[in-house]
Amino acid sequence: MTTALGHEVAPQTAQRGDRFARWISRRPVAALTIAIAVIFVLWLVFAPWPEEFENVFGRKRLFINALFNGITLGGLYFLVAAGFTLIFGLMRNVNLAHGSLYLFGGYMGYEAGVWTGSWLLSYVFAFACCALVGAAMQVLIFRRMQGQDLRQTLVTLGLSIVFSDLMVWVWGGNAIQIDTPDYLMGPVPTPIIVAIKSSGDAVFLQYPRVRLVIFIAAVLIGVGMWLALHRTRIGMMIRAGVDDRDMLSVLGYRVQLLFILVFAFGAGLAGMAGIVGGTFQSISLGEDSHFLLASLVVVIVGGMGSIPGAALGALIIGLSEQFGLVYFQNYATVATFVIMVVVLALRPQGLLGRR
Amino acid sequence: MAISHTRETRIGGVDSAAPPRWIADHFAILLLGLVLVLLPAVASNFVLDQIVGWTLILGMIALSLMFLAGYGGMVSLVQMTVAGLAGYMITVFGASSLPSISLFWPWWVAAPVAIIIAVAFGTLAGALSARTEGIYTIMITLALASAFFYLTLQNWSIFNGFNGFTTIPAPIFLGINWKSPVALYYLILFFAGLSYVTVLYISRAPFGLALQGTRDNPRRMEAIGFNVTAHRIAAYAFAALIAAIGGILLVWLNNQISPGTAGIEATIDLLVIAVVGGLGHPIGAFIGALIYVILRTFALDSLVAVGLDGRRFQTIIGLGFLVIVLFSPDGMIGLWRRWSARARSQTGKSPR
């Protein structure tokens, strides 16, 4: 892939390619297995399934739908878990009220949608509301008990109890569905064959436009966060704070302000995810603990404090939930649970986590 | 207990007062035990089982959490799940209203099997979380507890999904029908007392002292030759045993079990109980449980009586919890200790 020159000149891409080639030559069996697996998955997705195969594994339509739903659900989980992992990474604060922020954002977005009639404006509103609540939590409470991990976590737990009860009070126990705007309604044709008609025509997959759009938005937000963390000054401060908070503050950076910003941003992201959740499924009582659990598992699997880890974890958990629902309903959550246990047993810091 | 007391007297600076106070402490516990034993003579069956019995069971399960958190520094949210699993297992192996799932084994087979399964689960959960440090424990155990809750909710072949099980009677043995309120009360009292005394004993035994060492400084304990992870896992196993017995008693008391028994709310309530009571001493678990049970039983009516919405019970619990965490992190025990220390220092000053 590269010449010997690659070593001396060492531009970044050449170095990467070189590392890739070396990895392949070091682990030929693993590389071959991965290559075959990738080809197999591509075949599963794009080729029409032969009849015998469908007899064993069920209809291809089910598989493709589970795949797409899993990936888009992973996008939603990423939005929730990214804020959670960012807050945890920087402030060592396990924010157990994160699920409540998600639910609060969903309700606020719903209200804003009812007032203004604009789906996009509701995102802005939900983000602002949740960011305000998050900043207030950091300023009023967590700032006073810095370094006391357990106490902070217990406070977030108490807050989540109060928040969820207050939200039941205001919005009741019924599920609320956020309407998809007209311009995102309806399905999108995709070039993926799900079945062959008896006449020989191929049936192509139609997938809801809104889910695809939201997934793309989640990817863009993820890439944007990665760029912000790695290419901007404030991102550099956050990364430095994750590594050594005390040193950063000794160097004269305004750590407290950074904490407030990160908490507000993470909370706002959870709030926006609430609208996404309300559009995908619905928002109701109990969703807060569902999404708190999801973000816990995502960051445990992906690695605490790591944004790429959150993305990977969200994808894995989203897929495992959807495939679990389709292929073994009685034990759907066990799949997620088993993944978490295996990761914890083999790599306690998470797939992309650092010690 | 002994350790904390010597420390406290040193802080208080009144050494001469130490021995009688120590006796007085024992006196209080003995008196409490006597009152509890004689309670059936005066109390109604409702008070016996639904107030005191429930308190003692919740106290036992909270005690297992207190043991891990107070002595081991591991806030495990999986204890209610261990109790719930034991409860489910005794209905699956023992008797219930669902002959399609329950195996109707005799209680002396079903109960040990249920306890063994629950303890195995609790130990496994401990082994998973003991390798990670501090605050991670709370995340991992909360995830495990929620996973179990969703499993019981979705699974119909073992856990009977949303409905759970009803009609799970306490067995008849030694010629006594343990279903009857007074007999069940004594059964609960026996196990609660036993686990309280055992936890107190272990806290002063070499194992308990080593565990407290791993809480205070795991690195140093490792350096002087203790296997920190093994101590932590052993602590989880012991705590799971207490929680499992509590879970079985809970099922016999309530005569039913459903996903909510070990749901996320119940898991969090248990932590609230342990923290509000105080993680510094085993009695804290029971104090927290008593406060919780009294609130749970009477708060609805009294809230309505003062013109508030009775449904805001959770807000009251959450706010109370927040107040305790913000202003007295060592719970009711801490409040009482500080209050008595202040009272003592004032009486010490007044003669001068």
Short mmCIF file of all heavy atoms in Angstrom, two decimals, chain B residues 99-133:
data_model
loop_
_atom_site.label_atom_id
_atom_site.label_comp_id
_atom_site.label_asym_id
_atom_site.label_seq_id
_atom_site.Cartn_x
_atom_site.Cartn_y
_atom_site.Cartn_z
N PRO B 99 -49.96 -23.51 37.15
CA PRO B 99 -49.33 -24.83 37.07
C PRO B 99 -48.53 -25.04 35.78
O PRO B 99 -47.69 -25.93 35.72
CB PRO B 99 -50.52 -25.79 37.14
CG PRO B 99 -51.73 -24.99 36.94
CD PRO B 99 -51.41 -23.55 37.15
N SER B 100 -48.77 -24.20 34.77
CA SER B 100 -48.03 -24.38 33.52
C SER B 100 -46.57 -23.97 33.68
O SER B 100 -45.72 -24.41 32.91
CB SER B 100 -48.68 -23.55 32.41
OG SER B 100 -48.76 -22.20 32.80
N ILE B 101 -46.25 -23.12 34.65
CA ILE B 101 -44.87 -22.69 34.84
C ILE B 101 -44.29 -23.29 36.12
O ILE B 101 -43.20 -23.83 36.12
CB ILE B 101 -44.76 -21.15 34.87
CG1 ILE B 101 -45.18 -20.60 33.51
CG2 ILE B 101 -43.35 -20.71 35.22
CD1 ILE B 101 -45.16 -19.11 33.42
N SER B 102 -45.04 -23.18 37.22
CA SER B 102 -44.51 -23.62 38.51
C SER B 102 -44.31 -25.13 38.53
O SER B 102 -45.10 -25.89 37.96
CB SER B 102 -45.46 -23.23 39.63
OG SER B 102 -45.43 -21.85 39.80
N LEU B 103 -43.23 -25.56 39.22
CA LEU B 103 -42.89 -26.98 39.25
C LEU B 103 -43.41 -27.66 40.51
O LEU B 103 -43.35 -28.88 40.61
CB LEU B 103 -41.36 -27.15 39.17
CG LEU B 103 -40.73 -26.62 37.88
CD1 LEU B 103 -39.21 -26.65 37.97
CD2 LEU B 103 -41.18 -27.47 36.69
N PHE B 104 -43.88 -26.89 41.48
CA PHE B 104 -44.46 -27.43 42.71
C PHE B 104 -43.52 -28.37 43.45
O PHE B 104 -43.93 -29.40 43.95
CB PHE B 104 -45.80 -28.12 42.43
CG PHE B 104 -46.87 -27.14 42.03
CD1 PHE B 104 -47.14 -26.88 40.70
CD2 PHE B 104 -47.58 -26.45 43.00
CE1 PHE B 104 -48.09 -25.96 40.33
CE2 PHE B 104 -48.55 -25.54 42.64
CZ PHE B 104 -48.80 -25.29 41.31
N TRP B 105 -42.25 -28.01 43.49
CA TRP B 105 -41.34 -28.76 44.35
C TRP B 105 -41.63 -28.41 45.80
O TRP B 105 -42.13 -27.32 46.09
CB TRP B 105 -39.88 -28.39 44.04
CG TRP B 105 -39.42 -28.86 42.70
CD1 TRP B 105 -40.13 -29.58 41.79
CD2 TRP B 105 -38.13 -28.61 42.11
NE1 TRP B 105 -39.36 -29.81 40.68
CE2 TRP B 105 -38.14 -29.24 40.84
CE3 TRP B 105 -36.99 -27.95 42.54
CZ2 TRP B 105 -37.04 -29.19 39.99
CZ3 TRP B 105 -35.89 -27.90 41.69
CH2 TRP B 105 -35.93 -28.53 40.43
N PRO B 106 -41.29 -29.31 46.74
CA PRO B 106 -41.49 -28.94 48.16
C PRO B 106 -40.58 -27.75 48.52
O PRO B 106 -39.53 -27.56 47.91
CB PRO B 106 -41.09 -30.21 48.91
CG PRO B 106 -40.29 -31.01 47.93
CD PRO B 106 -40.80 -30.68 46.58
N TRP B 107 -41.01 -27.00 49.53
CA TRP B 107 -40.32 -25.74 49.85
C TRP B 107 -38.86 -25.97 50.20
O TRP B 107 -38.01 -25.13 49.90
CB TRP B 107 -41.03 -25.01 51.00
CG TRP B 107 -40.86 -25.70 52.31
CD1 TRP B 107 -41.69 -26.64 52.84
CD2 TRP B 107 -39.80 -25.52 53.24
NE1 TRP B 107 -41.20 -27.07 54.03
CE2 TRP B 107 -40.04 -26.39 54.30
CE3 TRP B 107 -38.66 -24.71 53.27
CZ2 TRP B 107 -39.18 -26.50 55.39
CZ3 TRP B 107 -37.81 -24.80 54.36
CH2 TRP B 107 -38.07 -25.69 55.41
N TRP B 108 -38.53 -27.14 50.85
CA TRP B 108 -37.15 -27.32 51.31
C TRP B 108 -36.22 -27.66 50.16
O TRP B 108 -35.02 -27.68 50.33
CB TRP B 108 -37.06 -28.35 52.43
CG TRP B 108 -37.83 -29.63 52.16
CD1 TRP B 108 -39.14 -29.88 52.48
CD2 TRP B 108 -37.35 -30.79 51.49
NE1 TRP B 108 -39.49 -31.12 52.05
CE2 TRP B 108 -38.42 -31.70 51.44
CE3 TRP B 108 -36.12 -31.15 50.92
CZ2 TRP B 108 -38.31 -32.95 50.83
CZ3 TRP B 108 -36.01 -32.39 50.33
CH2 TRP B 108 -37.09 -33.29 50.29
N VAL B 109 -36.76 -27.91 48.96
CA VAL B 109 -35.91 -27.98 47.77
C VAL B 109 -35.94 -26.63 47.05
O VAL B 109 -34.91 -26.08 46.66
CB VAL B 109 -36.37 -29.09 46.81
CG1 VAL B 109 -35.38 -29.24 45.67
CG2 VAL B 109 -36.53 -30.40 47.55
N ALA B 110 -37.17 -26.10 46.91
CA ALA B 110 -37.35 -24.88 46.11
C ALA B 110 -36.60 -23.69 46.72
O ALA B 110 -35.91 -22.96 46.00
CB ALA B 110 -38.84 -24.56 45.97
N ALA B 111 -36.72 -23.53 48.04
CA ALA B 111 -36.10 -22.34 48.66
C ALA B 111 -34.57 -22.35 48.52
O ALA B 111 -33.99 -21.36 48.08
CB ALA B 111 -36.52 -22.23 50.12
N PRO B 112 -33.90 -23.48 48.85
CA PRO B 112 -32.44 -23.46 48.65
C PRO B 112 -32.04 -23.25 47.19
O PRO B 112 -31.08 -22.51 46.92
CB PRO B 112 -32.00 -24.84 49.15
CG PRO B 112 -33.07 -25.27 50.08
CD PRO B 112 -34.33 -24.70 49.54
N VAL B 113 -32.77 -23.89 46.26
CA VAL B 113 -32.43 -23.71 44.85
C VAL B 113 -32.58 -22.24 44.46
O VAL B 113 -31.71 -21.66 43.80
CB VAL B 113 -33.30 -24.62 43.95
CG1 VAL B 113 -33.14 -24.23 42.49
CG2 VAL B 113 -32.92 -26.07 44.15
N ALA B 114 -33.69 -21.63 44.90
CA ALA B 114 -33.92 -20.22 44.59
C ALA B 114 -32.79 -19.36 45.15
O ALA B 114 -32.27 -18.46 44.48
CB ALA B 114 -35.26 -19.77 45.15
N ILE B 115 -32.40 -19.66 46.40
CA ILE B 115 -31.35 -18.86 47.03
C ILE B 115 -30.03 -19.05 46.29
O ILE B 115 -29.30 -18.08 46.03
CB ILE B 115 -31.22 -19.24 48.52
CG1 ILE B 115 -32.44 -18.74 49.27
CG2 ILE B 115 -29.95 -18.64 49.12
CD1 ILE B 115 -32.46 -19.11 50.72
N ILE B 116 -29.74 -20.32 45.90
CA ILE B 116 -28.47 -20.57 45.20
C ILE B 116 -28.43 -19.81 43.87
O ILE B 116 -27.42 -19.16 43.54
CB ILE B 116 -28.28 -22.09 44.98
CG1 ILE B 116 -27.95 -22.76 46.31
CG2 ILE B 116 -27.16 -22.36 43.98
CD1 ILE B 116 -27.96 -24.26 46.26
N ILE B 117 -29.53 -19.86 43.13
CA ILE B 117 -29.55 -19.15 41.83
C ILE B 117 -29.36 -17.65 42.05
O ILE B 117 -28.56 -17.01 41.36
CB ILE B 117 -30.87 -19.44 41.09
CG1 ILE B 117 -30.91 -20.91 40.66
CG2 ILE B 117 -31.02 -18.52 39.88
CD1 ILE B 117 -32.19 -21.32 40.00
N ALA B 118 -30.09 -17.11 43.03
CA ALA B 118 -30.00 -15.67 43.26
C ALA B 118 -28.61 -15.27 43.72
O ALA B 118 -28.07 -14.25 43.29
CB ALA B 118 -31.06 -15.24 44.28
N VAL B 119 -28.01 -16.09 44.60
CA VAL B 119 -26.67 -15.76 45.08
C VAL B 119 -25.66 -15.86 43.92
O VAL B 119 -24.76 -15.02 43.80
CB VAL B 119 -26.27 -16.69 46.25
CG1 VAL B 119 -24.79 -16.55 46.55
CG2 VAL B 119 -27.08 -16.36 47.48
N ALA B 120 -25.86 -16.88 43.06
CA ALA B 120 -24.96 -17.01 41.91
C ALA B 120 -25.07 -15.76 41.04
O ALA B 120 -24.05 -15.20 40.59
CB ALA B 120 -25.31 -18.25 41.10
N PHE B 121 -26.31 -15.28 40.82
CA PHE B 121 -26.49 -14.08 40.02
C PHE B 121 -25.84 -12.87 40.68
O PHE B 121 -25.11 -12.10 40.03
CB PHE B 121 -27.99 -13.81 39.80
CG PHE B 121 -28.28 -12.52 39.13
CD1 PHE B 121 -28.09 -12.37 37.76
CD2 PHE B 121 -28.73 -11.42 39.85
CE1 PHE B 121 -28.34 -11.17 37.14
CE2 PHE B 121 -28.98 -10.22 39.24
CZ PHE B 121 -28.79 -10.10 37.88
N GLY B 122 -26.07 -12.72 42.00
CA GLY B 122 -25.49 -11.58 42.71
C GLY B 122 -23.97 -11.60 42.67
O GLY B 122 -23.32 -10.57 42.53
N THR B 123 -23.41 -12.82 42.80
CA THR B 123 -21.95 -12.94 42.77
C THR B 123 -21.40 -12.61 41.40
O THR B 123 -20.38 -11.93 41.25
CB THR B 123 -21.54 -14.37 43.16
OG1 THR B 123 -22.28 -14.76 44.31
CG2 THR B 123 -20.07 -14.44 43.46
N LEU B 124 -22.12 -13.08 40.37
CA LEU B 124 -21.69 -12.79 39.00
C LEU B 124 -21.73 -11.28 38.74
O LEU B 124 -20.79 -10.71 38.17
CB LEU B 124 -22.62 -13.52 38.03
CG LEU B 124 -22.12 -13.59 36.59
CD1 LEU B 124 -20.95 -14.56 36.50
CD2 LEU B 124 -23.23 -14.02 35.66
N ALA B 125 -22.83 -10.65 39.18
CA ALA B 125 -22.93 -9.19 39.03
C ALA B 125 -21.77 -8.51 39.74
O ALA B 125 -21.17 -7.57 39.22
CB ALA B 125 -24.26 -8.70 39.58
N GLY B 126 -21.44 -9.04 40.94
CA GLY B 126 -20.32 -8.48 41.68
C GLY B 126 -19.01 -8.66 40.93
O GLY B 126 -18.20 -7.74 40.85
N ALA B 127 -18.83 -9.86 40.37
CA ALA B 127 -17.58 -10.13 39.65
C ALA B 127 -17.44 -9.20 38.46
O ALA B 127 -16.34 -8.76 38.12
CB ALA B 127 -17.56 -11.59 39.19
N LEU B 128 -18.58 -8.87 37.82
CA LEU B 128 -18.53 -7.97 36.67
C LEU B 128 -18.17 -6.55 37.08
O LEU B 128 -17.41 -5.87 36.40
CB LEU B 128 -19.88 -7.95 35.95
CG LEU B 128 -20.15 -9.12 35.02
CD1 LEU B 128 -21.55 -9.01 34.48
CD2 LEU B 128 -19.15 -9.12 33.88
N SER B 129 -18.76 -6.11 38.20
CA SER B 129 -18.56 -4.70 38.55
C SER B 129 -17.37 -4.50 39.47
O SER B 129 -16.85 -3.39 39.56
CB SER B 129 -19.83 -4.12 39.18
OG SER B 129 -20.25 -4.94 40.23
N ALA B 130 -16.90 -5.56 40.14
CA ALA B 130 -15.80 -5.37 41.09
C ALA B 130 -14.49 -5.06 40.37
O ALA B 130 -13.57 -4.52 40.98
CB ALA B 130 -15.63 -6.61 41.95
N ARG B 131 -14.41 -5.42 39.10
CA ARG B 131 -13.17 -5.15 38.38
C ARG B 131 -13.04 -3.68 38.00
O ARG B 131 -11.95 -3.20 37.72
CB ARG B 131 -13.10 -6.01 37.12
CG ARG B 131 -12.87 -7.47 37.44
CD ARG B 131 -12.91 -8.30 36.21
NE ARG B 131 -11.90 -7.90 35.24
CZ ARG B 131 -11.89 -8.28 33.98
NH1 ARG B 131 -12.85 -9.06 33.53
NH2 ARG B 131 -10.96 -7.89 33.16
N THR B 132 -14.17 -3.00 37.93
CA THR B 132 -14.11 -1.57 37.63
C THR B 132 -14.17 -0.80 38.94
O THR B 132 -14.45 -1.36 39.98
CB THR B 132 -15.28 -1.15 36.73
OG1 THR B 132 -16.47 -1.56 37.38
CG2 THR B 132 -15.18 -1.79 35.37
N GLU B 133 -13.93 0.50 38.85
CA GLU B 133 -13.75 1.27 40.07
C GLU B 133 -14.93 2.17 40.37
O GLU B 133 -15.59 2.68 39.47
CB GLU B 133 -12.50 2.15 39.92
CG GLU B 133 -11.21 1.40 40.10
CD GLU B 133 -10.86 1.18 41.56
OE1 GLU B 133 -10.91 2.16 42.32
OE2 GLU B 133 -10.56 0.04 41.96
#
